Amino acid sequence: MDRHHAASGKRLSQLDDPINRHLPPQLQLEIDPTGPILIRHLISHSAGFESAGRPNQRRPAGEIALYSEHNAALGAAIISQITGLSIADYSNQNIFAPLDMTHSHMSTAHALSSTATDLARLMGAFLADGQWRNGRILRPQTAQRMFDPQFQNAPFVVGMAHGLMEYNLPGGFRGLGHRSHLGQSDQSGQKGMVHANLVMVPELHLGIFIVATLPGGASLVETLPPLLVDHYFSATDDLKADSAAADTTDQRDLIGLYRPFSKPLRSVAGIVSPSDFYIEVRAPSDTERSKSNGLLIHQPDHDGGKAQLYHPIGPALYQAEGLEAPRAFKKISRKGISRSGQMILTDETGLDPARKIGWAATPAWFLWQSLIIAGLAVISLLIACRNSARLIKTPSHKALHIGMILSSVLWLFFLTILLIAAARPIFAPLILPVLGYGALLALFINLANLAMLIRLAILIRSGVISLSLVMGSFWLL
C-alpha cells in the first residue's frame, strides 16, 4: 500500500530494498552468499523460505516461488517498523476505514477476519484504480501496477503479481487473487476446514469471492470461479495442446518421484502419510496412452487419487484436458550444491513446486533401512538374552549390555508404531503427535543404533560371536 505514515521520520521503502534495511534488529536475517532478500521477494513469495519451521532461507532469493507465511509476517514487520503502527492498526486506518469495511479486522499479517460484503468493497477498489465510492486506498498508477506479473517458476505457468496469485481462466482470461484453506482436517481432509477463494479478473471488471465449510469445499471454491467465467463470458484463446510444440525434453529426465518444497525432505510423517508428500511422474502404458504422447502425474491427494494424463504443449510444459493451468518441469542449480541441477515440477497454483528426489529420500528406502536395523536389533536381543552371564564381567560391560537391550527395544518399538500407522491410517492421528518430535526422536534412535552396533562390534572382536553368525542370522530373519 502507498499510504505510508512519516511520523517515524524513516525513509519509505522501495521494492528493491534489502529487507534487513527496514527490519528491527531482532528480526534481521543472515544474508545468503547469493545475495540479500529484497522486499520484492517477499511480495512474490520468492524469498526462499520453506513454509514450515522458522524463517530460515532454504533457497537463494529469486530462484523459486514457494508460498510461505513468513513472507507476509516479515512484510508486516517492515510496515510496522516504518510507520510505527501494528499491522492491525495500519490496516484499519489505511484500508478498512476508507472503504467502510466495518466488519474486517486483521489480527496478524496472514489472518484477516472479514465478510463477503467487505471483501466485495476491497475487490471493487482494486478493480477501480484504488478507489471505492469516496474512499481511496491506492493511487491509480499504483493500483494498476498491483496486477503486473512479478515472478513465475517457469514460463507459461501461473505465478505471482504484487502479493496476488495468478489464475488461468477459461477464454484466456487472467485472474488474480488468493485462496486459503484454514483449520484442522480429519482423514477426509474436511472436518473443521474453511476454504475460501478470492478471484479478480481485471479484463472483465469482475470480482468473485466464495467460502465453503461443507465437505468438498476445497474443490468447490477452486472450480466455481472458472466455471462462472466460462459460462457467462465467451471462451476464446484457450491454451491448447499443439502437436507442433511437442515436448523435445528427454522424458527420462522427468520421470521419477517428486516431493513438494512445502514438505520437509526427510520426515517420519511422510512415511506414514505418503499421499500428502509425494508426486509420481511416469510414462503411460499402451492402454493409458492417448493420441498424443504425454506423462502421467499421480498425486494421491489430487483428482480423486487417480493419475492424470498430461500432454506436451511446449518444451517441458504439460497440460491435462479440462485443466486451465499447465505444469512445467524446470532444472535449477545452485553453485556448490549441484552441478547437473535439480529438477522441479510446478503445481496448478504456481506456489508449491516439488523437487525430484533420489532413492535415499524415498519411503521404500526408509522402510528397508528400518528393516535392516530391526533385524540387527533382534539379533542383539537374542545374543544379549542367551549370553548375559557370559558377557557381563565388569561394570562397564554391564552398562553396555543394558544399553544394547534398551537400544534394541527402543528401535523395535519405534518401527512397530511406524508400521501400524502406515498399514492402518486410522491410527495415524494417535501416533503422529508422538512422531512429531522428529529431532528428539531421531537423536534417541541414532544413539540407540550406535550403541547397538558398538556392542555387536565388541562381541565380534572378543570372539563371543562371529561376523558370519550375525550375517547368517540376519538373512534367516
Side-chain angles (χ1 to χ4, degrees):
M1 300 298 175
D2 57 0
R3 292 170 57 90
H4 296 292
H5 292 264
S8 63
K10 298 179 181 178
R11 184 178 70 83
L12 299 184
S13 62
Q14 303 295 323
L15 295 185
D16 290 319
D17 284 351
I19 61 174
N20 281 348
R21 182 179 298 173
H22 301 286
L23 285 172
Q26 65 271 21
L27 293 181
Q28 293 183 5
L29 305 177
E30 293 185 8
I31 299 177
D32 190 270
T34 58
I37 300 175
L38 310 179
I39 294 178
R40 186 181 303 279
H41 295 140
L42 298 182
I43 293 174
S44 62
H45 285 271
S46 60
F49 303 128
E50 292 189 358
S51 57
R54 302 183 61 185
N56 296 321
Q57 191 178 7
R58 304 297 186 186
R59 312 292 303 188
E63 182 184 74
I64 61 171
L66 176 64
Y67 186 84
S68 173
E69 293 180 349
H70 298 317
N71 295 291
L74 290 173
I78 290 174
I79 291 176
S80 297
Q81 181 75 358
I82 292 174
T83 65
L85 298 173
S86 68
I87 189 62
D89 291 339
Y90 182 87
S91 302
N92 288 333
Q93 294 182 20
N94 295 276
I95 303 174
F96 302 148
L99 299 182
D100 198 23
M101 297 173 62
T102 56
H103 297 90
S104 298
H105 175 71
M106 182 168 283
S107 56
T108 66
H110 42 74
L112 169 64
S113 174
S114 188
T115 64
T117 301
D118 278 7
L119 289 176
R121 292 168 179 166
L122 180 64
M123 290 189 292
F126 275 123
L127 294 168
D129 292 338
Q131 181 174 356
W132 181 82
R133 293 184 178 177
N134 295 324
R136 176 172 289 281
I137 60 172
L138 296 169
R139 293 191 295 266
Q141 59 269 34
T142 304
Q144 294 167 10
R145 289 188 61 189
M146 288 286 294
F147 298 142
D148 291 345
Q150 280 291 295
F151 193 90
Q152 293 173 296
N153 279 321
F156 305 110
V157 302
V158 290
M160 286 291 299
H162 289 77
L164 299 171
M165 301 177 182
E166 291 183 323
Y167 298 81
N168 277 337
L169 297 172
F173 294 112
R174 176 174 175 256
L176 299 113
H178 194 281
R179 64 168 63 91
S180 63
H181 306 281
L182 304 175
Q184 300 295 326
S185 62
D186 60 6
Q187 288 299 305
S188 65
Q190 300 298 336
K191 185 178 180 180
M193 292 293 291
V194 178
H195 309 278
N197 199 3
L198 183 150
V199 181
M200 295 175 288
V201 190
E203 294 176 82
L204 304 176
H205 203 72
L206 172 69
I208 302 170
F209 174 70
I210 178 173
V211 60
T213 58
L214 300 173
S219 176
L220 176 63
V221 301
E222 291 180 6
T223 57
L224 185 59
L227 289 174
L228 291 174
V229 172
D230 187 40
H231 181 75
Y232 289 103
F233 301 93
S234 59
T236 58
D237 299 327
D238 279 350
L239 186 61
K240 300 294 185 182
D242 185 358
S243 58
D247 186 18
T248 57
T249 308
D250 190 343
Q251 289 190 348
R252 291 174 296 182
D253 294 336
L254 311 180
I255 292 172
L257 204 60
Y258 291 75
R259 189 180 184 110
F261 280 93
S262 58
K263 308 296 182 182
L265 185 58
R266 290 178 177 83
S267 169
V268 173
I271 309 301
V272 176
S273 305
S275 63
D276 297 331
F277 284 72
Y278 298 97
I279 303 169
E280 181 188 11
V281 178
R282 60 182 175 87
S285 63
D286 293 337
T287 57
E288 295 168 321
R289 196 184 308 273
S290 62
K291 296 179 181 178
S292 175
N293 189 25
L295 289 171
L296 277 172
I297 298 180
H298 183 213
Q299 193 166 350
D301 58 342
H302 282 57
D303 304 316
K306 298 181 180 179
Q308 190 84 20
L309 181 61
Y310 281 74
H311 304 286
I313 58 174
L317 187 66
Y318 288 74
Q319 185 177 31
E321 293 184 8
L323 297 180
E324 298 297 329
R327 305 182 74 165
F329 294 87
K330 179 183 176 182
K331 185 168 287 189
I332 59 174
S333 60
R334 184 178 182 184
K335 187 177 181 180
I337 299 296
S338 175
R339 292 182 178 180
S340 58
Q342 183 179 44
M343 188 67 69
I344 68 169
L345 169 64
T346 67
D347 70 323
E348 293 87 348
T349 69
L351 291 174
D352 192 17
R355 53 193 156 191
K356 189 177 180 180
I357 61 175
W359 60 271
T362 61
W365 164 244
F366 185 91
L367 289 176
W368 272 112
Q369 185 183 34
S370 301
L371 291 174
I372 292 172
I373 300 297
L376 292 175
V378 172
I379 294 172
S380 298
L381 280 176
L382 293 175
I383 295 173
C385 295
R386 187 174 181 181
N387 301 278
S388 57
R390 182 181 174 187
L391 299 177
I392 302 176
K393 298 179 179 179
T394 66
S396 60
H397 283 181
K398 183 177 181 180
L400 200 59
H401 181 72
I402 294 174
M404 174 183 176
I405 295 177
L406 290 178
S407 65
S408 301
V409 171
L410 177 63
W411 180 256
L412 290 174
F413 171 74
F414 167 74
L415 182 65
T416 300
I417 63 174
L418 183 66
L419 291 177
I420 290 175
R424 300 290 183 183
I426 190 174
F427 294 114
L430 301 176
I431 296 173
L432 282 178
V434 178
L435 301 181
Y437 296 95
L440 186 61
L441 188 64
L443 174 63
F444 276 113
I445 290 173
N446 287 331
L447 290 175
N449 291 341
L450 181 62
M452 179 177 60
L453 294 176
I454 290 175
R455 183 56 175 162
L456 284 174
I458 292 175
L459 293 175
I460 293 173
R461 185 176 181 180
S462 63
V464 175
I465 60 173
S466 65
L467 181 61
S468 59
L469 174 62
V470 173
M471 298 306 297
S473 301
F474 172 71
W475 287 116
L476 286 177
L477 290 174

